[in-house]
């Protein structure tokens, strides 16, 4: 038996709208992840420029935890500003477009502010910002002040921060669970999460492979013989 009332008179249209919303959500998440890589690079560049400030704070007695919390609060403040701007546009755009697209629809549209999708979008944004911020922030936690001063003129390598790695992994799992739990088609959401993980791994392996190829090519005399510019370029790629 199939009972159809006025609340669901056109189930195919409802399914189409739900599927369209799901794909738009996944496209938005993919954009967030791509933007998150830019966030991580921007934070790393910013912290590299603040090396002298971090070194001074540590020499004056600031703990690694205080330095970490200070810059994390700055990043969260900027993230909240960006998220608030995005939510404002998302809430106002339907009302702006209503007079333009209303005449093309077979029924009268009713636009309004829906708190639940906006809250979900804000959660996605803040989790993504923290996810990609922890890794570069963790690099400055356990570096001695002398090394930080030295890094102004000579780049130095620091040991990996296990707490930042664990926090990044936990946030990645939490974001994946939120994606699967908040979508109607959970099988498709699981494929999306798996595809993202495989993509990050593939790009990491590709970068590592190109680095090793550039390093090997820089030492091949038959490839760089008589071309010092080419040899320097390949050597710098490997660095």
């Amino acid at each position: 038996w199939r009972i159809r009332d006025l609340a669901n008179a056109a189930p195919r249209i409802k399914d189409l709208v739900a599927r369209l919303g799901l794909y738009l959500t996944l496209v938005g998440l993919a954009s967030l992840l791509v933007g998150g890589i830019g966030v991580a690079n921007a934070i790393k560049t910013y912290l590299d420029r603040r090396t002298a400030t971090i070194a001074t704070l540590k020499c004056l007695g600031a703990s690694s935890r205080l330095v970490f919390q200070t810059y994390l609060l700055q990043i969260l403040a900027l993230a909240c500003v960006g998220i608030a701007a995005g939510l404002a546009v998302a809430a106002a755009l339907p009302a702006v477009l209503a007079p333009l697209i209303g005449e093309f629809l077979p029924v009268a549209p009713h636009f309004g502010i829906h708190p639940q999708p906006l809250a979900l979008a804000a959660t996605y944004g803040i989790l993504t910002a923290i996810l990609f911020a922890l890794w570069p922030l963790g690099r400055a936690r356990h570096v001695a002040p002398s090394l930080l001063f030295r890094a102004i003129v000579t780049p130095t390598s620091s040991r990996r921060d296990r707490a930042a790695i664990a926090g990044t992994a936990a946030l990645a799992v939490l974001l994946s669970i939120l994606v699967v739990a908040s979508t109607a088609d959970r099988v498709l959401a699981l494929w999306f999460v798996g595809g993202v993980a495989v993509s990050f791994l593939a790009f990491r392996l590709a970068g590592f492979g190109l680095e090793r190829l550039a390093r090997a090519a820089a030492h091949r005399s038959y490839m760089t013989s008589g071309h010092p510019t080419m040899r320097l370029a390949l050597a710098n790629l490997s660095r």
Side-chain angles (χ1 to χ4, degrees):
W1 290 90
R2 178 180 298 174
I3 300 175
R4 184 180 301 172
D5 58 3
L6 294 178
N8 191 20
R12 292 185 178 181
I13 296 178
K14 182 178 180 180
D15 293 340
L16 176 63
V17 173
R19 185 59 58 90
L20 180 62
L22 173 62
Y23 278 114
L24 289 176
T25 300
L26 297 182
V27 169
L29 287 171
S31 302
L32 272 179
L33 293 175
V34 174
I37 299 175
V39 169
N41 290 329
I43 294 173
K44 180 181 180 300
T45 303
Y46 175 73
L47 291 177
D48 290 341
R49 294 178 179 177
R50 306 295 294 179
T51 298
T53 302
I54 297 175
T56 303
L57 289 174
K58 286 197 169 185
C59 287
L60 293 176
S63 62
S64 300
R65 182 177 181 180
L66 178 61
V67 172
F68 180 86
Q69 292 176 348
T70 300
Y71 287 99
L72 179 61
L73 286 177
Q74 293 182 20
I75 294 167
L76 289 179
L78 292 175
C80 289
V81 171
I83 291 171
L87 294 179
V89 173
L93 194 59
V96 174
L97 295 179
L100 302 177
I101 65 175
E103 59 182 6
F104 298 102
L105 299 176
V107 294
H110 296 280
F111 296 99
I113 298 177
H114 303 278
Q116 184 176 357
L118 294 177
L120 182 61
T123 305
Y124 282 140
I126 199 69
L127 286 179
T128 304
I130 300 175
L131 172 66
F132 287 94
L134 285 181
W135 192 283
L137 283 174
R139 297 181 58 193
R141 288 191 61 182
H142 302 293
V143 180
S146 59
L147 292 179
L148 284 172
F149 278 121
R150 186 178 177 183
I152 298 176
V153 293
T154 304
T156 57
S157 59
S158 58
R159 65 186 180 91
R160 297 177 179 179
D161 187 2
R162 295 181 179 179
I165 296 175
T168 301
L171 284 174
V173 173
L174 180 61
L175 187 60
S176 301
I177 294 175
L178 182 62
V179 170
V180 176
S182 61
T183 55
D185 193 341
R186 296 186 175 180
V187 176
L188 183 60
L190 284 172
W191 276 103
F192 172 80
V193 172
V196 168
V198 172
S199 298
F200 271 96
L201 179 61
F203 279 114
R204 182 67 185 91
L205 293 177
F208 179 77
L210 288 175
E211 179 184 347
R212 296 299 295 268
L213 286 175
R215 183 178 303 174
H219 294 84
R220 298 290 183 179
S221 59
Y222 65 88
M223 295 184 63
T224 58
S225 178
H227 301 280
T229 305
M230 179 63 69
R231 181 166 186 170
L232 287 174
L234 293 174
N236 286 328
L237 284 177
S238 65
R239 298 190 185 102

